[in-house]
Amino acid sequence: MAFDKTWRRLITAHNDGTVNVWNYSTGQCIFSLATADDMEVTDVIHVQEASKKFVCVVGWNRKVTVYEDAPGGAPPLFQLEGHHDDILCMAFCPPNVLATGSYDGYIIVWNVISGYKKFMLKDESAPTSYVVQQLLFLQRRSNILVAAGDDGCIRFWSVRLRERECF
């Protein structure tokens, strides 16, 4: 689930691939977005940069599907491909940085506006079965990405330096 920037609309995702945008005050479904391949959705976020608004969806199809946030719903604008396993989570950092984490422990950092894959991150000291379960950009230090995994550890990554930070 995710809210838009105004906190007036709630975006929900379902295991059949449907994404609904709701009026949070009335509970009415404003519109729905359908994924191209009916994949199970694992995370959804709303991205707003200047006048551009997007809904980003990830899941078991190993792709990031980007929709324009438009009345009535619209087909996907594009898909970002690069993960080799299911994508479980993502985080956005203005103005255009999207990070996605997958079941195989890889994090990919993208330019969400252009669709360009900037680079991949992986903690080589983590167990081979390491799964990225949650991502978050620190608000006051936007170049720091926090990754939580199934091994109980929290890892801090410098997106600017493309390396793990130790604090």
Side-chain angles (χ1 to χ4, degrees), residues 22-148:
W22 304 87
N23 179 317
Y24 188 68
S25 298
T26 66
Q28 179 183 6
C29 182
I30 302 169
F31 60 89
S32 296
L33 304 168
T35 55
D37 50 6
D38 297 329
M39 58 103 180
E40 182 149 343
V41 176
T42 55
D43 202 1
V44 60
I45 63 171
H46 187 269
V47 173
Q48 183 171 345
E49 188 51 42
S51 63
K52 296 181 180 181
K53 297 178 187 177
F54 303 102
V55 175
C56 300
V57 178
V58 297
W60 288 5
N61 69 349
R62 304 173 183 184
K63 300 174 187 173
V64 180
T65 305
V66 180
Y67 298 89
E68 183 178 13
D69 181 4
L77 288 173
F78 55 89
Q79 290 185 317
L80 308 175
E81 297 185 37
H83 278 285
H84 301 292
D85 212 335
D86 301 338
I87 305 172
L88 302 178
C89 56
M90 63 183 151
F92 176 72
C93 180
N96 58 15
V97 178
L98 180 72
T100 54
S102 64
Y103 196 78
D104 59 6
Y106 279 95
I107 298 168
I108 297 181
V109 178
W110 313 84
N111 178 320
V112 73
I113 305 300
S114 70
Y116 175 71
K117 180 167 84 169
K118 292 178 156 190
F119 53 88
M120 295 177 75
L121 302 169
K122 181 158 174 82
D123 185 356
E124 299 302 331
S125 67
T128 55
S129 62
Y130 174 69
V131 175
V132 179
Q133 294 180 325
Q134 190 70 320
L135 293 171
L136 171 76
F137 281 100
L138 297 181
Q139 288 183 0
R140 299 205 186 269
R141 296 183 67 182
S142 61
N143 65 329
I144 301 295
L145 177 65
V146 182

